[in-house]
Amino acid sequence: MPKQIYLDYAATTPIDEEVLEAMMPYLKKDFGNPSSLHHFGQITRVAIDQTRKKAARFLNCSESEIVFCGSATEANSLAIFGVVKALQKKIKKPFHIITTKIEHHAVLHPFEELEKQGVEVSFVAPNKIGIVETKEIKKAIKDNTVFISVMYANNEIGTVQPIEEIGKLISQINKNRKQKIYFHTDAVQAVNYLDCDVQKLKVDLLTLSAHKIYGPKGVGALFIKKGTPIEPIIYGGGHEFGLRSGTENVAGIVGLGKAIELVEKHKGDTERIKNLRDKIIEEVLKIPNAKLNGSRENRLPNNVNVSISGVEGESLVIALDQEGIAVSTGSACSSHELKPSHVLLAIGLSPKSTHGSLRITLGRFTTEDEIDYFLKVLPKVVKRLREISPF
Amino acid sequence: MNKKQFTLYSKKVLEHFQNPRNYGKMKNPDGVGKVGNIVCGDVMYLYVKIGKKKNGKEYIKDIKFQTYGCLAAIASSSILTEMVKEKTIEEAIKINRSQIVKRLGGLPPIKMHCSILATDALFEAIYDYLSKNKKPIPKFLKERHKQIEKEKKEIEKRYKEWIKLEEKLSKNEKEK
């Protein structure tokens, strides 16, 4: 029986034991509805507020600026549709919004939807190494620009975007404007490794997810700076300051709180993960006709993304899976829509190179032994598939 | 790998993917069928050598494939070569995708087109052999050939931008 090696931490992370432990009471005896007045409800209300405190401390904001959602996708939708809706009511004139070509679909598709609805949208292209440069954002800004969303770190190629720099630029521009520009960042992939101090980043909205930081699935959170115009996109009982109705996922939210706490505790692990990443990059590039996608330096410490010519990504993923290794690809075959990765196309890869792309993402539980095993197996699998391939 | 956890592909598909039959390039083939498009992510080359049986009927004496694509494409090509090897041309062109899918123990719906690609590669290889040798081509093969050509053009039209990009970029890569 081969080993089981998980190298797909950007897709999701396993729940940390401590997180699960923290959640358990709220799946069992402490089941009360946080909106109930009796002590069952009080217990869960307090639990939610404790997570809110932890999130606020982590992001360096106030507790009333945190809204819990059912996922990071939902948090992104709330940020984008919610702010645009509020601004439409306020401004009454056509306005312009900006995002990038390498966003996660949870940001890209809401912007495309708004474009369909008649809002003017600019999709800013990254450079060849997958960085959206601040000067490109600056160029895209118009007199009537009111909202900008740029992801903190890319989920496919791991490139880190200059959020602090863009934040500074926008706050500079805002000084001379009557109608300010609101700035959102999807920080889902960044939380484990990068500074998420919203004061430093100068963002008005920031999205995070629990299941990318060793917490449970089904919980996201949105930081909304006080004073940001925003309308709910879900209506009901008025939970979460009226911005996200629906009885709170108490256990999930508690799990998120614990997960955030653990991120701080594990900050020291980053160097170890980075060294493993560098080892992979060095070794994988020894395979003939293998290329690194995205910046070599400016990338998350846990992300490797390579294109290997002559092999198709899904075949590669399944062949590695048969050897007990779990990784991911941007190949068309692997997607629901049979479309190759928009991120890889945006950084100038040919469709052929996108089909042969492989994403390896490391995490808290990755060991050097696992990486050595992966590096032993990969060249063999590539060789086998190349033997079958016509080119 | 825990076998129980893996249910998307049948055992047979995984087995053919792991140990494909009759793969590689053939020297001096009598017919070649090339289908698929790199832009879409699936390309299949099928080579045949034709022999004559004692009763005078022509048959597939040898067959080989080369496939770039997902595991469903590789498994479909592999099993196809197994199914038609030693078969007469007459018998071989009766093969259809549902036979392939059945022999593979099923394919996920999104992967059904991979089995069509395999049969098309075979039809094209036999068409190539017959037309090169000025032999009569069965009506079915002629029609299928026309259809495949038409689909190729449609794909090229649909993915025109990408194909242009592909050509441009691979030219750049070569120049480097």
Side-chain angles (χ1 to χ4, degrees):
Chain A
M1 176 109 152
K3 312 173 192 189
Q4 289 261 23
I5 297 176
Y6 187 77
L7 297 175
D8 201 12
Y9 281 82
T12 191
T13 55
I15 294 192
D16 194 295
E17 275 300 325
E18 285 185 59
V19 171
L20 185 63
E21 215 174 284
M23 290 170 68
M24 282 318 277
Y26 302 95
L27 292 164
K28 289 180 169 174
K29 64 179 179 51
D30 298 324
F31 61 87
N33 187 326
S35 298
S36 297
L37 296 176
H38 46 66
H39 81 275
F40 287 94
Q42 289 170 24
I43 288 172
T44 50
R45 168 58 54 210
V46 167
I48 290 175
D49 287 343
Q50 273 169 351
T51 292
R52 214 185 296 283
K53 244 185 216 144
K54 288 176 191 172
R57 203 183 321 132
F58 182 76
L59 298 174
N60 190 20
C61 65
S62 88
E63 287 162 44
S64 59
E65 294 175 313
I66 305 280
V67 168
F68 296 118
C69 300
S71 64
T73 292
E74 197 194 301
N76 282 331
S77 265
L78 174 58
I80 300 161
F81 292 118
V83 169
V84 166
K85 196 158 120 189
L87 289 174
Q88 278 168 334
K89 280 190 187 169
K90 194 179 146 211
I91 298 174
K92 307 256 160 64
K93 272 190 288 188
F95 54 65
H96 172 240
I97 58 180
I98 298 171
T99 190
T100 81
K101 286 190 174 172
I102 57 166
E103 296 299 312
H104 187 279
H105 284 153
V107 168
L108 204 57
H109 289 170
F111 272 85
E112 285 168 1
E113 174 59 25
L114 286 170
E115 193 176 37
K116 266 188 230 155
Q117 292 173 14
V119 180
E120 189 191 354
V121 184
S122 294
F123 297 91
V124 177
N127 62 19
K128 295 277 175 226
I129 54 168
I131 309 282
V132 178
E133 292 172 33
T134 308
K135 65 174 189 333
E136 296 302 318
I137 297 288
K138 194 176 177 183
K139 261 193 248 166
I141 294 175
K142 300 180 177 194
D143 288 341
N144 65 341
T145 302
V146 293
F147 185 70
I148 299 177
S149 180
V150 180
M151 74 194 325
Y152 200 166
N154 184 266
N155 50 305
E156 291 187 42
I157 54 176
T159 48
V160 178
Q161 308 305 323
I163 297 304
E164 198 179 332
E165 212 179 270
I166 298 171
K168 252 184 221 152
L169 167 80
I170 293 171
S171 57
Q172 275 300 324
I173 292 174
N174 279 344
K175 277 183 192 161
N176 306 316
R177 282 197 180 208
K178 241 195 259 162
Q179 176 54 55
K180 84 173 252 185
I181 302 169
Y182 295 95
F183 184 30
H184 167 249
T185 188
D186 174 356
V188 164
Q189 296 289 341
V191 174
N192 279 317
Y193 305 106
L194 306 176
D195 189 351
C196 288
D197 181 330
V198 293
Q199 312 293 336
K200 220 188 255 177
L201 296 176
K202 295 197 168 26
V203 292
D204 301 295
L205 304 110
L206 179 145
T207 298
L208 57 86
S209 167
H211 79 103
K212 310 283 192 192
I213 58 170
Y214 310 89
K217 291 163 187 66
V219 191
L222 182 66
F223 154 73
I224 309 166
K225 192 177 172 179
K226 203 174 165 226
T228 304
I230 189 162
E231 296 259 335
I233 54 171
I234 292 174
Y235 292 84
H239 308 76
E240 294 297 297
F241 317 112
L243 284 173
R244 203 282 185 179
S245 286
T247 297
E248 299 88 339
N249 172 3
V250 179
I253 292 169
V254 169
L256 171 64
K258 192 71 193 175
I260 288 176
E261 224 180 275
L262 293 178
V263 165
E264 287 173 318
K265 192 178 137 191
H266 286 277
K267 271 271 145 77
D269 199 26
T270 302
E271 208 47 38
R272 183 187 73 87
I273 291 173
K274 199 173 162 188
N275 289 338
L276 291 177
R277 176 202 73 180
D278 290 342
K279 184 173 183 176
I280 297 176
I281 292 177
E282 197 178 308
E283 290 299 313
V284 171
L285 293 184
K286 285 183 186 163
I287 296 174
N289 296 315
K291 256 187 343 202
L292 184 71
N293 296 320
S295 164
R296 175 72 186 76
E297 290 80 29
N298 229 336
R299 72 191 302 134
L300 287 173
N302 75 323
N303 175 294
V304 179
N305 190 308
V306 285
S307 284
I308 304 176
S309 75
V311 292
E312 190 278 323
E314 191 190 324
S315 277
L316 196 51
V317 167
I318 303 293
L320 287 168
D321 193 40
Q322 287 180 316
E323 304 288 337
I325 298 165
V327 292
S328 157
T329 176
S331 160
C333 278
S334 68
S335 75
H336 298 297
E337 302 154 357
L338 294 177
K339 275 188 195 155
S341 147
H342 66 280
V343 175
L344 298 176
L345 291 175
I347 61 167
L349 258 67
S350 70
K352 192 170 149 189
S353 295
T354 67
H355 294 312
S357 74
L358 195 66
R359 181 186 72 179
I360 304 120
T361 45
L362 320 180
R364 193 173 288 170
F365 306 112
T366 307
T367 66
E368 179 137 30
D369 279 353
E370 289 181 332
I371 298 308
D372 290 341
Y373 177 72
F374 165 71
L375 290 172
K376 202 176 83 188
V377 170
L378 180 69
K380 284 189 211 165
V381 169
V382 169
K383 187 169 172 276
R384 184 170 79 74
L385 290 173
R386 278 181 173 169
E387 277 167 13
I388 305 171
S389 167
F391 31 72
Chain B
M1 186 183 69
N2 190 336
K3 293 258 166 14
K4 265 189 213 156
Q5 290 174 353
F6 204 90
T7 51
L8 187 57
Y9 291 101
S10 72
K11 261 190 196 165
K12 193 93 180 165
V13 171
L14 291 171
E15 200 265 318
H16 270 267
F17 174 63
Q18 187 81 336
N19 301 299
R21 329 285 200 260
N22 308 308
Y23 70 87
K25 199 172 176 174
M26 186 188 277
K27 274 184 192 161
N28 306 317
D30 292 326
V32 185
K34 294 183 177 182
V35 295
N37 191 309
I38 183 64
V39 173
C40 315
D42 285 313
V43 177
M44 216 176 268
Y45 291 3
L46 206 91
Y47 309 89
V48 291
K49 257 206 169 56
I50 305 295
K52 215 169 223 176
K53 289 209 166 169
K54 277 179 191 157
N55 62 7
K57 282 192 174 169
E58 288 189 308
Y59 77 108
I60 297 175
K61 203 170 139 194
D62 198 10
I63 182 162
K64 277 202 166 4
F65 80 90
Q66 289 183 298
T67 294
Y68 173 94
C70 62
L71 78 162
I74 291 172
S76 296
S77 1
S78 169
I79 208 155
L80 170 102
T81 62
E82 229 182 34
M83 287 165 79
V84 299
K85 201 171 176 178
E86 304 286 329
K87 290 265 172 22
T88 64
I89 287 183
E90 216 174 294
E91 288 164 337
I93 63 171
K94 281 187 191 138
I95 195 166
N96 60 42
R97 66 165 217 181
S98 52
Q99 288 167 316
I100 290 181
V101 174
K102 206 172 151 197
R103 273 284 283 273
L104 283 174
L107 278 178
I110 200 165
K111 298 291 180 184
M112 285 301 178
H113 66 278
C114 297
S115 56
I116 304 177
L117 207 61
T119 55
D120 280 351
L122 174 73
F123 298 151
E124 285 291 273
I126 295 174
Y127 181 93
D128 182 46
Y129 165 70
L130 295 175
S131 65
K132 266 200 299 210
N133 292 282
K134 311 240 173 350
K135 290 183 187 259
I137 300 169
K139 194 175 159 221
F140 161 74
L141 268 192
K142 265 191 208 160
E143 279 170 4
R144 193 62 210 153
H145 176 73
K146 239 193 240 165
Q147 186 63 24
I148 292 167
E149 289 289 308
K150 202 178 129 199
E151 282 167 11
K152 249 185 213 170
K153 282 205 184 97
E154 271 168 17
I155 284 178
E156 275 166 21
K157 211 162 115 194
R158 195 172 345 145
Y159 295 104
K160 210 165 118 196
E161 293 300 305
W162 281 359
I163 290 171
K164 263 200 243 154
L165 180 72
E166 181 65 55
E167 283 165 356
K168 200 180 109 199
L169 291 171
S170 46
K171 211 176 126 198
N172 286 350
E173 276 165 22
K174 268 179 206 153
E175 278 165 4
K176 271 179 205 158

